Amino acid sequence: MVPNNADEHDPLESLLNRRQVLRGGAALGISAGLASLLAACGGTSSSTSTGSSSSSSSGGTLSDQLVVNLADEPPTWNTLDNNIQYLRWVTDQVQETLYGFDDELRTIPILADGMPVQNGRTATIRIRRGITFQNGDPLTAEHVAATFNAARGQGRIWAGALSSLVRAEAVDDLTTRFTFKPPYTGLVDRASIIPIMHRDFLRVSNKAMGTGPYQWDSYVRGSQVTLRAWDRYRDGAPKTARILFQIVPDSATQLVNLLRGDCDILPMPAYAQVPSLRKNKKVTVYDVQAPVDIFFWLSERMIPDVRVRQAIAYAMDRRRVVEIAYNGLADPGEGPIPPSADGYRYAERLFSAEPDYDRARALLREAGVDSFRFIYISTVEPQQKAMAQVLQQSWAEVGLVADLQLSTYAAWQSAWTTGRWGISTLFSMDGFSSGRGGWSMTNPLSSTNPINFGRFSDRRMDQVLAGVNDAPSSEARNRLWGEASTIAQQQVAMVPPVYPRFTAAVGTDVKNLPIAQFGVTRLDLKNVTVQQ
Amino acid sequence: MAPMTNDTAVRTDVASSPAPVVLSVENLDVTYPRRGGDVAAVRGVTFQLHEGEALGIVGETGSGKTTTMSALLRLLPQRALVRADAMRLGDRDLTALSDGELRRLRGRELSLIPQRPMTSLSPVTRLGKQLERLDRRPGGAAAPRPELSALLARVGLGPLAERLRAYPHEFSGGQLQRILIAIASLAPQPQILFADEPTATLDVTVQGQILALLSELRAELGLSLVMITHDLGVVAQTCDRVIVMQRGEIVETASVQELFARPRHPYTAQLLADLTRPPAVRGRSASGDPAAPRLRVAGVSCSYARPGTRRRGGRQAVPAVQDVSLTIPAGETLALVGESGCGKSTLAKALVGLLTPVAGTIMLDGLDVTRERVGRGQRSGLQLISQNPFSSLNRRRTIAHALTQALAVRGATPADEREQRARELLEQVGLDASHLGRYASELSGGQLQRVAIARALAAEPRTLVLDEPTASLDVSVTARIVDLLVELQGRLGLTYVWITHEIDVARHVSEQTAVMYLGRIAEQGPTEQVLHRPRHPYTASLLASMPVPDPTRRATFRPLAGEVPSPLSPPSGCVFRTRCPIAQDERCATEVPELRRAGASSSACHFADDVAPRLAAAGTPPIA
Amino acid sequence: MPEVSSTLPTGTATQVRADRRPGRVRRVGRRAVAIVNHNRLTRIGFLLTALFVLIAVVGPMILGDGTKQDAGILLSPSGAHPFGTDDLGRDLLTRSVAGSRVSLFVALGSVGLGLLVALPIGLVAGYFGGTWIDELLMGFVDVILALPLFVLGLFLLGITGTGGSQVGPVFVSATLKVVVVIAVGAMPFFARVARAATLNERQEDYVNSLRVLGVPRWKIIFGEVLPNVLPPVMVQAFLWMAIAIFAEAALSFLGLGIQPPEATLGNILSDASSYMLTGAWWYSVLPGAFLSLIIVGLNLVGDGLSDALDPDLRT
């Protein structure tokens, strides 16, 4: 059987296309403390930021505006070209997917009328009758087919994920038929992520249009996006008239906005700020296990001896990373599949939260190594930086010396592609590329994957990953992902020290926010109201 | 311009009769507190100024003349301690006035004409705006435009009235000084005009014009004038009474006639003696062999690239020197006279090789030094002494360094003998070895000029080009430096090309004089001839423009009108015709006059043979 | 002014030398004292700068390099930790002191390197002012000037990585790279000041006199003009030391500078920024105040130098 490359390019493309995944506190301020302090004091004094002004406990009237702060803006508003969270948190209010997740994060149809009917290499999906786009056009299978055909096109972000899709075609008004090259089990996963676009909007990048509850109002680059409620939405117009997404890169400013009531929802506040946010009565902080991942590659090329890699893994002080770098908002890590993914329960537990220095020393002795030096590259978000230093100190206990090279995303990327590193790590949010699957976390470990810059090569891993694509059931597939995670742990190819949680700081005036959706890193704002 | 002889006579009368006193100062002291002893800048200065009187305050650098004025106008820095028994303006006590009250007096009753017109106006504001701001009526309203134009017309800027929209840099120094005089003398209620070296930065002919304008306005408006200057000629030509200051004290007060006729204080007497000296007695034989001159300049022309036009293709050459030929026998001095911009400094640069002439040859002892192959060694026979001694020595190097470096370049002196030789050189110029370790900033201007001469001598030159060697020195120092140079010439057999704008110096030191105008030689010949029987109207006018240090000769003070035209667009025909009192339209405008023999000299005037009668006919008095 | 009489006894050679040396030493000493005492602010500046140098040199020997995560995290200032501790449990006083050593190295290194390149460029360009040589050199300088320091940093550190790199046989450490980036950023400013001063100096008569004497050009430029051009350049240099420290802090803040866990004031402040509004005020305020004092000190020295060396303001 030909090795299945279905998803090989997926993480590469999503990585190369997204900008710095989480800016966190790394604001581009020049004057360290003072600049951000000034920025913080400046706050947002713009007239649009009235937000949910300080809560009067009467709780009677509802605000007509919901304010969300985002740390960054995407380079495009076209969901076929990017899947960074700052894009999707906005466009998910405008566009919808064929499938979605219920409060238990089980897959449910949204635009689809039921689960797909799989028949060998073809599958058909019917959509619900009577759905229209915001411009009045009815949603037909033509649009669904056009969306998927465009999504697998050259240069689109989904091209890798859909590389085994031969074509999508409209059978009738409501039925779309998908034809695959090799057998493919990922259709529902992908259809839960890829928003259905209007045929005429496939190349539009300056705004979004779809079938969702909110429609595009305006966008000011570098400043804000405004959405307004669509009164002909099939379930009735949303109760909040406007959503304002403000782009606020500086974490201190975000915090001030939130505390002054100028911001209602702040997804992913800086981890360091969560403890103090928790003390504030006006704000509720949620943290949820979600596919917020740390890619933590160990290079087989630079650290060929598996015993040394194992020593590295055993000497990591995961507890301290959880507590210090993530302020407790993470769980000790094992393999690449996180607890939020379906395959997690099938993976083995090899490492403990506390470092096992004796074992690490023993492994190094066995490998005949007194001390070992390697380069550790990472992006420079505060929690990544703290993690690097905590790990560095715990490795030093057993004579492992990490030379840290922390840099901007772009510099990290160029260092990463050279392959001259012992450990490479990246903070990433994968809810929009994998859903609850393990696609993007495991695929980089395939020996044929072009982004396998650490040259990890394991026959068993290749077989497992190939098996994922034609697994007979989702259960079988999850088991394979679990196995892949276990192999990655045993071979120490990818051993994230922690599984960070998805966090969001939400004003206490905000009601009806589906917290469960955080489990797939999503914001669903259609029913949200803000007490005035 | 109105004739001035009568005014002078009238004013002398006024001065002798007891006119009311407008300003009186008694026992003025100005002290600067310093660590290690206070410095007294002015001590016990007492004087009175009568109504309508012109009082000259004369003194050399550091004599306290400007400090005295600044103390009166309260313009001194905060740390200066001013004390006086009395300072009265009319019946008002100046010491009792608040700063605000005094500020209101300045610019109304007390006006100041500053030394540097170029820096006295804001470079970024149009002239009209500045005049409006400065010339506030009592009610605070600005003067209307027509009045401003009239004001400018009054100071001789008639056709420029519409240039109220122009910026200061579009005017010449002379024009700017006229504007400042207009501002000062036409203030709301002017009483006293303080003029602080008002012509120090101006050319001779323009200086004459400005002095004449000042006298004229004063007579017309009945102003009192305090003229602060180092130039006894200016005093002689413009003042009624004179105060001579030395080291912060008044050494002599006298009427101008008395001072020049019978100086009482030795310092005054020395100043006057230094100014009016007979030609130097030459202790050398006239060994000059005209067949083998030391320096021969033949048909030299120089030009500059016009600044700002260096961009591709747009290079425009500005002719600075045109077709100049000179011959100087060994051991003699040629004086090169002319106003600024006449090309004399450019010629000096060409002579010493700082500038390559576009045409012509410069032969030093029969060797063409303009050719590229000529090495440094042969060039070193020609050395340069420049105008500003403060700039001609590196202020961060010792005197010893300057001299030994020059000796090292020359290469004739072995390294271990250089210090000894440097000491000899210093002695030669009247300094001693104790100066060797000093820095330039520790020496006075005269000492620095001596060092500069010593350094030039280190190269064992045969010819020195002296570019206004005394222009930035005080009168008494000038005389000492001139004496030194004359002495060295006799002793070492040097040949001098002596550039100067001071006729007295030229008369004193040179055998030959060449007068330049707009890059060309106007007249050239034996000094005696050129400076006493000029064969070119420009020479005659230049002589008449000089403020002669003799109050009895005010009649001959007749400044040349107009300003030097731009070398970019020189007048056709004779370049001097635009300012020439005897120019005739057809011939002078079309025909370029050749430099030709006229009497004992050569002159580039069509009427060289009968310049004197023509000038007399044109109303210019003859030169004594 | 009275002139010196024309004949005075000649001193012997030994007398001359004896007269000269103490003269120069005294002169330089007097000058230095005069500059330090220029005014109260300058005195404070020199005091702060001296203190900074002392702390930077001696401090780390006593306190260590500040990389040990051996205390409780985010402890507020106390006797044991006068500056408190950071989010990884490191003593902030130790880190600030260790950081000041890096700051000093960066300041001296980058300014020194910048001067080394800029002075010859500025001098030669100024001496040949207006010619093609001038245009070529200053064109090069302007190109560099047009690149903002941080773009330059991003570029240089982006292509070579933020750690150390091997350039041929030479190992360039991360610190050295930061020094080079800042030196490149500073170079145009030094070159321009040097050129402007040289253009002025070129107008001085002594340059012409030396040319007429036949002194070679390079000797005039580097032997005679250079000492006169140095004062304004040194003023710039001092101001740039402050900027260099600031720039290192900013580069570290962007993650382009010196790598953790090595302490630099910039790294500390960068890490502190997440904790600024969370109650751990000491984390940013104390190292920030420390940095501010250093920069204020250097700026005051620079200002004082600029006043003291300005001939128009000399008393």
Side-chain angles (χ1 to χ4, degrees):
Chain A
M1 180 153 232
V2 181
N4 191 322
N5 291 344
D7 283 74
E8 271 183 0
H9 304 285
D10 182 3
L12 172 67
E13 267 157 359
S14 65
L15 288 175
L16 297 189
N17 276 292
R18 67 180 63 182
R19 291 211 270 161
Q20 188 171 342
V21 176
L22 183 81
R23 281 260 194 91
L28 280 156
I30 286 174
S31 102
L34 285 177
S36 28
L37 198 62
L38 286 175
C41 296
T44 48
S45 54
S46 83
S47 56
T48 48
S49 62
T50 47
S52 64
S53 53
S54 60
S55 59
S56 57
S57 52
S58 62
T61 51
L62 296 182
S63 167
D64 62 349
Q65 181 169 269
L66 171 72
V67 182
V68 181
N69 275 13
L70 302 179
D72 201 355
E73 61 186 332
T76 173
W77 290 111
N78 189 316
T79 42
L80 298 184
D81 291 332
N82 204 307
N83 63 357
I84 193 168
Q85 65 267 29
Y86 308 115
L87 169 71
R88 294 298 299 269
W89 287 337
V90 176
T91 57
D92 280 358
Q93 321 310 322
V94 179
Q95 298 164 339
E96 292 171 302
T97 45
L98 290 173
Y99 298 95
F101 300 94
D102 66 8
D103 284 353
E104 247 94 82
L105 296 183
R106 287 174 306 224
T107 302
I108 50 163
I110 305 282
L111 293 176
D113 208 12
M115 297 312 281
V117 181
Q118 196 103 17
N119 183 7
R121 296 192 177 186
T122 63
T124 54
I125 296 178
R126 265 181 74 83
I127 50 173
R128 288 162 64 179
R129 191 179 295 277
I131 292 173
T132 57
F133 282 105
Q134 287 155 359
N135 69 354
D137 293 352
L139 172 69
T140 63
E142 288 291 339
H143 294 287
V144 176
T147 299
F148 276 87
N149 283 327
R152 67 188 185 88
Q154 195 69 34
R156 300 289 199 164
I157 189 113
W158 306 108
L162 295 176
S163 62
S164 41
L165 176 66
V166 179
R167 64 180 168 274
E169 58 207 325
V171 180
D172 57 47
D173 264 8
L174 300 178
T175 313
T176 314
R177 182 166 61 221
F178 299 83
T179 309
F180 299 98
K181 227 178 330 185
Y184 186 64
T185 59
L187 180 61
V188 177
D189 284 352
R190 301 311 182 184
S192 307
I193 298 162
I194 301 173
I196 301 304
M197 292 176 70
H198 189 285
R199 205 167 37 191
D200 299 342
F201 278 74
L202 296 169
R203 290 277 165 198
V204 173
S205 62
N206 59 351
K207 60 175 179 174
M209 201 281 284
T211 57
Y214 282 90
Q215 51 184 339
W216 197 266
D217 187 85
S218 64
Y219 167 48
V220 181
R221 181 171 288 278
S223 170
Q224 62 181 40
V225 183
T226 314
L227 304 180
R228 62 174 193 275
W230 181 38
D231 48 15
R232 288 189 289 133
Y233 184 60
R234 58 178 181 275
D235 296 344
K239 292 197 183 68
T240 306
R242 264 196 320 274
I243 307 179
L244 193 64
F245 291 92
Q246 288 179 329
I247 295 139
V248 183
D250 179 61
S251 65
T253 314
Q254 296 168 352
L255 196 65
V256 170
N257 285 351
L258 195 66
L259 299 183
R260 287 206 331 202
D262 287 342
C263 165
D264 301 305
I265 300 176
L266 172 60
M268 295 299 283
Y271 283 101
Q273 288 169 348
V274 170
S276 68
L277 276 174
R278 284 234 155 104
K279 291 183 201 137
N280 194 292
K281 289 199 177 65
K282 284 199 265 178
V283 176
T284 312
V285 184
Y286 299 96
D287 64 285
V288 174
Q289 285 189 339
V292 178
D293 300 320
I294 294 174
F295 284 89
F296 197 92
W297 286 278
L298 277 88
S299 169
E300 189 168 8
R301 176 181 164 203
M302 305 303 282
I303 316 173
D305 192 327
V306 70
R307 288 166 300 191
V308 177
R309 296 205 299 273
Q310 282 167 343
I312 288 173
Y314 281 112
M316 291 199 291
D317 192 339
R318 294 175 176 80
R319 170 85 66 217
R320 207 169 147 82
V321 175
V322 168
E323 281 166 9
I324 289 182
Y326 282 88
N327 288 277
L329 299 162
D331 304 291
E334 289 273 352
I337 299 292
S340 60
D342 292 329
Y344 181 72
R345 63 179 179 276
Y346 298 106
E348 283 179 34
R349 309 280 171 268
L350 294 183
F351 309 121
S352 59
E354 319 302 334
D356 191 343
Y357 293 133
D358 292 336
R359 185 148 186 192
R361 286 194 197 96
L363 283 161
L364 286 175
R365 233 184 349 263
E366 206 179 303
V369 174
D370 273 342
S371 89
F372 186 83
R373 203 178 184 103
F374 58 93
I375 292 172
Y376 177 110
I377 64 171
S378 166
T379 51
V380 76
E381 299 89 5
Q383 74 278 4
Q384 288 284 90
K385 197 170 166 183
M387 178 175 87
Q389 293 178 79
V390 168
L391 292 176
Q392 186 186 41
Q393 172 154 301
S394 61
W395 285 324
E397 286 287 324
V398 297
L400 292 164
V401 183
D403 290 323
L404 305 187
Q405 292 185 12
L406 310 186
S407 57
T408 57
Y409 177 74
W412 169 84
Q413 199 181 4
S414 67
W416 177 49
T417 52
T418 62
R420 281 197 289 276
W421 41 264
I423 291 179
S424 173
T425 115
L426 179 73
F427 184 92
S428 169
M429 296 181 66
D430 291 318
F432 298 112
S433 54
S434 295
R436 288 184 56 81
W439 304 99
S440 59
M441 300 76 143
T442 52
N443 275 317
L445 299 171
S446 153
S447 64
T448 54
N449 193 316
I451 68 162
N452 184 350
F453 296 113
R455 308 260 176 86
F456 175 72
S457 174
D458 185 279
R459 223 157 36 117
R460 206 151 58 90
M461 177 68 88
D462 288 347
Q463 282 167 0
V464 167
L465 292 180
V468 164
N469 284 315
D470 52 2
S473 67
S474 60
E475 193 61 24
R477 199 180 61 182
N478 291 341
R479 187 169 283 125
L480 286 171
W481 272 326
E483 200 180 334
S485 194
T486 304
I487 299 168
Q489 289 174 70
Q490 289 164 344
Q491 295 299 314
V492 200
M494 185 179 286
V495 285
V498 293
Y499 301 122
R501 301 211 184 127
F502 183 95
T503 59
V506 179
T508 43
D509 309 333
V510 176
K511 307 290 177 205
N512 304 324
L513 179 66
I515 305 304
Q517 294 296 318
F518 293 168
V520 280
T521 69
R522 287 194 166 186
L523 287 185
D524 179 359
L525 304 176
K526 67 171 171 284
N527 295 321
V528 170
T529 56
V530 182
Q531 303 282 316
Q532 196 154 34
Chain B
M1 220 146 281
M4 291 165 58
T5 353
N6 297 341
D7 300 339
T8 316
V10 170
R11 231 171 283 133
T12 316
D13 291 343
V14 170
S16 52
S17 70
V21 172
V22 288
L23 179 71
S24 70
V25 177
E26 269 175 57
N27 262 327
L28 172 70
D29 288 337
V30 179
T31 316
Y32 289 97
R34 283 236 177 110
R35 222 170 285 171
D38 296 354
V39 177
V42 170
R43 277 175 296 187
V45 163
T46 301
F47 69 89
Q48 293 183 330
L49 179 68
H50 298 273
E51 193 178 299
E53 183 186 35
L55 176 72
I57 302 183
V58 187
E60 299 188 343
T61 313
S63 63
K65 53 191 195 300
T66 302
T67 309
T68 303
M69 178 199 75
S70 304
L72 280 168
L73 295 177
R74 224 178 274 179
L75 292 173
L76 286 173
Q78 285 282 315
R79 60 200 162 79
L81 299 177
V82 180
R83 201 205 59 78
D85 288 349
M87 283 202 281
R88 309 186 71 80
L89 177 70
D91 51 2
R92 275 166 296 183
D93 186 356
L94 285 180
T95 53
L97 294 182
S98 72
D99 281 354
E101 287 166 324
L102 199 91
R103 193 166 55 241
R104 275 189 290 282
L105 273 185
R106 291 198 300 255
R108 290 192 192 286
E109 295 172 45
L110 306 172
S111 296
L112 173 66
I113 300 167
Q115 180 169 3
R116 295 168 204 279
M118 287 299 192
T119 55
S120 298
L121 288 168
S122 160
V124 293
T125 314
R126 295 178 198 279
L127 181 65
K129 261 264 157 317
Q130 296 196 49
L131 289 181
E132 276 174 25
R133 275 185 210 156
L134 285 165
D135 184 48
R136 289 276 167 195
R137 310 279 122 170
R145 291 268 160 155
E147 267 185 51
L148 292 178
S149 298
L151 190 88
L152 292 185
R154 180 63 201 84
V155 292
L157 292 175
L160 296 165
E162 60 264 31
R163 286 181 62 186
L164 283 172
R165 285 183 54 74
Y167 289 95
H169 72 265
E170 297 174 55
F171 297 93
S172 71
Q175 287 172 330
L176 286 176
Q177 196 61 296
R178 283 167 189 273
I179 291 164
L180 290 169
I181 288 174
I183 292 168
S185 58
L186 306 176
Q189 308 137 357
Q191 276 203 14
I192 307 176
L193 220 54
F194 289 87
D196 185 9
E197 305 260 21
T199 58
T201 58
L202 302 176
D203 252 317
V204 175
T205 59
V206 180
Q207 161 174 297
Q209 295 163 14
I210 294 294
L211 293 179
L213 173 68
L214 260 182
S215 298
E216 205 181 296
L217 279 173
R218 192 166 67 79
E220 191 180 306
L221 302 169
L223 300 174
S224 309
L225 173 71
V226 177
M227 170 72 82
I228 290 158
T229 180
H230 67 281
D231 189 335
L232 285 166
V234 170
V235 169
Q237 295 302 325
T238 56
C239 295
D240 305 321
R241 220 151 48 83
V242 186
I243 291 171
V244 182
M245 290 189 73
Q246 187 191 16
R247 295 195 203 111
E249 288 175 354
I250 293 179
V251 295
E252 182 163 2
T253 310
S255 81
V256 71
Q257 283 83 2
E258 212 177 295
L259 186 88
F260 282 87
R262 289 174 297 281
R264 286 194 305 267
H265 195 275
Y267 176 68
T268 319
Q270 179 63 43
L271 279 182
L272 286 171
D274 286 341
L275 263 181
T276 51
R277 290 193 300 172
V281 181
R282 301 297 160 83
R284 60 192 134 84
S285 59
S287 61
D289 177 4
R294 171 60 49 83
L295 186 68
R296 175 184 296 224
V297 177
V300 163
S301 297
C302 303
S303 59
Y304 286 110
R306 188 183 174 194
T309 56
R310 257 182 38 70
R311 298 288 153 220
R312 226 169 293 280
R315 195 178 281 230
Q316 188 180 5
V318 180
V321 170
Q322 289 207 319
D323 195 21
V324 166
S325 300
L326 300 163
T327 304
I328 312 167
E332 287 197 1
T333 299
L334 171 85
L336 208 51
V337 178
E339 291 176 86
S340 62
C342 73
K344 54 191 196 302
S345 290
T346 307
L347 183 59
K349 279 190 179 157
L351 288 179
V352 296
L354 288 173
L355 198 77
T356 309
V358 292
T361 55
I362 297 167
M363 313 279 282
L364 179 67
D365 285 326
L367 179 80
D368 186 354
V369 291
T370 52
R371 281 182 310 156
E372 282 176 22
R373 292 276 173 77
V374 175
R376 277 193 242 140
Q378 288 146 310
R379 268 249 179 241
S380 69
L382 260 169
Q383 287 298 324
L384 175 75
I385 304 289
S386 43
Q387 173 174 359
N388 184 355
F390 296 98
S391 130
S392 67
L393 285 164
N394 192 343
R395 56 195 178 282
R396 291 193 183 269
R397 293 291 187 194
T398 58
I399 305 306
H401 171 88
L403 294 176
T404 49
Q405 186 188 38
L407 290 167
V409 173
R410 179 80 177 117
T413 320
D416 50 343
E417 290 171 27
R418 278 179 203 146
E419 198 151 315
Q420 178 60 35
R421 176 85 185 107
R423 215 170 298 129
E424 289 167 19
L425 284 168
L426 276 188
E427 281 161 30
Q428 222 166 27
V429 297
L431 298 173
D432 65 89
S434 69
H435 292 100
L436 275 178
R438 306 260 189 97
Y439 286 84
S441 58
E442 297 171 80
L443 301 186
S444 70
Q447 290 171 324
L448 287 175
Q449 198 61 298
R450 284 168 193 266
V451 175
I453 293 166
R455 181 179 57 185
L457 293 180
E460 293 167 34
R462 282 156 292 172
T463 304
L464 284 187
V465 176
L466 308 156
D467 187 1
E468 309 231 24
T470 59
S472 45
L473 302 176
D474 275 324
V475 181
S476 60
V477 183
T478 295
R480 303 294 91 77
I481 295 292
V482 168
D483 287 347
L484 171 71
L485 285 167
V486 170
E487 180 209 324
L488 286 173
Q489 185 174 35
R491 182 137 46 102
L492 304 173
L494 296 171
T495 307
Y496 287 165
V497 176
W498 195 312
I499 294 164
T500 182
H501 65 270
E502 292 160 291
I503 301 292
D504 290 317
V505 170
R507 198 174 274 150
H508 182 65
V509 300
S510 66
E511 280 86 7
Q512 286 191 70
T513 295
V515 182
M516 287 186 74
Y517 186 77
L518 216 58
R520 295 162 180 83
I521 302 247
E523 186 176 358
Q524 181 189 354
T527 301
E528 229 4 71
Q529 290 292 320
V530 173
L531 297 186
H532 290 274
R533 270 176 289 284
R535 295 288 186 158
H536 194 285
Y538 178 62
T539 317
S541 308
L542 204 57
L543 292 171
S545 299
M546 295 283 168
V548 187
D550 183 352
T552 61
R553 275 171 52 193
R554 290 194 183 177
T556 62
F557 181 53
R558 192 59 53 116
L560 180 59
E563 296 191 11
V564 182
S566 160
L568 271 177
S569 49
S572 63
C574 173
V575 288
F576 184 57
R577 73 178 161 84
T578 49
R579 302 171 77 191
C580 182
I582 62 169
Q584 287 180 0
D585 287 350
E586 336 75 62
R587 190 168 178 203
C588 293
T590 53
E591 212 177 302
V592 180
E594 294 287 317
L595 191 65
R596 61 190 172 88
R597 202 112 205 120
S601 7
S602 311
S603 165
C605 179
H606 293 303
F607 315 113
D609 294 323
D610 47 355
V611 165
R614 278 172 189 265
L615 280 173
T620 308
I623 306 298
Chain C
M1 289 279 137
E3 269 288 285
V4 174
S5 67
S6 50
T7 47
L8 278 173
T10 318
T12 65
T14 47
Q15 275 172 329
V16 171
R17 286 212 191 83
D19 182 56
R20 198 162 127 193
R21 274 222 195 93
R24 170 173 287 177
V25 170
R26 222 186 304 127
R27 192 184 133 93
V28 171
R30 229 188 301 130
R31 199 86 201 87
V33 171
I35 291 171
V36 172
N37 284 329
H38 179 68
N39 62 29
R40 185 176 304 165
L41 284 178
T42 315
R43 267 201 299 278
I44 293 173
F46 271 99
L47 195 75
L48 285 174
T49 307
L51 211 62
F52 157 51
V53 173
L54 189 77
I55 289 174
V57 173
V58 180
M61 296 179 194
I62 301 166
L63 293 172
D65 65 358
T67 58
K68 286 267 178 310
Q69 304 165 15
D70 51 5
I73 63 167
L74 294 173
L75 298 178
S76 58
S78 64
H81 305 287
F83 275 28
T85 64
D86 71 1
D87 57 325
L88 298 182
R90 297 175 291 202
D91 179 49
L92 275 170
L93 177 65
T94 308
R95 278 184 78 71
S96 299
V97 166
S100 69
R101 183 187 48 184
V102 176
S103 297
L104 179 70
F105 176 75
V106 168
L108 292 177
S110 59
V111 166
L113 192 64
L115 284 176
L116 214 61
V117 179
L119 273 176
I121 292 180
L123 280 166
V124 171
Y127 189 83
F128 295 100
T131 64
W132 65 269
I133 299 176
D134 180 26
E135 282 186 10
L136 191 78
L137 289 173
M138 292 323 281
F140 166 68
V141 166
D142 286 344
V143 166
I144 295 182
L145 188 66
L147 295 171
L149 181 59
F150 292 96
V151 173
L152 210 71
L154 278 170
F155 177 72
L156 216 70
L157 298 171
I159 54 171
T160 64
T162 40
S165 358
Q166 200 73 30
V167 181
V170 193
F171 180 76
V172 182
S173 73
T175 315
L176 211 56
K177 276 189 197 170
V178 170
V179 165
V180 169
V181 166
I182 298 171
V184 171
M187 188 277 278
F189 293 90
F190 297 159
R192 291 183 134 212
V193 172
R195 175 178 176 269
T198 309
L199 276 177
N200 269 336
E201 215 53 34
R202 185 74 187 75
Q203 307 298 316
E204 295 284 317
D205 289 336
Y206 74 84
V207 176
N208 278 343
S209 301
L210 292 172
R211 279 178 65 194
V212 173
L213 276 169
V215 178
R217 273 196 189 121
W218 65 269
K219 253 189 177 165
I220 297 181
I221 296 177
F222 294 103
E224 303 290 328
V225 174
L226 177 62
N228 290 298
V229 168
L230 271 182
V233 175
M234 286 320 289
V235 170
Q236 273 286 312
F238 257 91
L239 295 177
W240 258 93
M241 282 190 201
I243 298 175
I245 290 174
F246 199 68
E248 185 280 314
L251 285 171
S252 293
F253 191 73
L254 291 182
L256 291 172
I258 291 148
Q259 289 297 314
E262 188 172 355
T264 83
L265 289 166
N267 264 338
I268 296 171
L269 290 175
S270 161
D271 294 344
S273 68
S274 316
Y275 293 89
M276 205 151 40
L277 296 178
T278 62
W281 58 270
W282 62 89
Y283 196 172
S284 47
V285 168
L286 295 179
F290 192 65
L291 175 65
S292 300
L293 282 180
I294 294 172
I295 289 175
V296 164
L298 286 169
N299 267 315
L300 288 178
V301 170
D303 285 351
L305 272 184
S306 130
D307 286 356
L309 297 177
D310 185 342
D312 293 339
L313 292 175
R314 262 189 230 171
T315 45

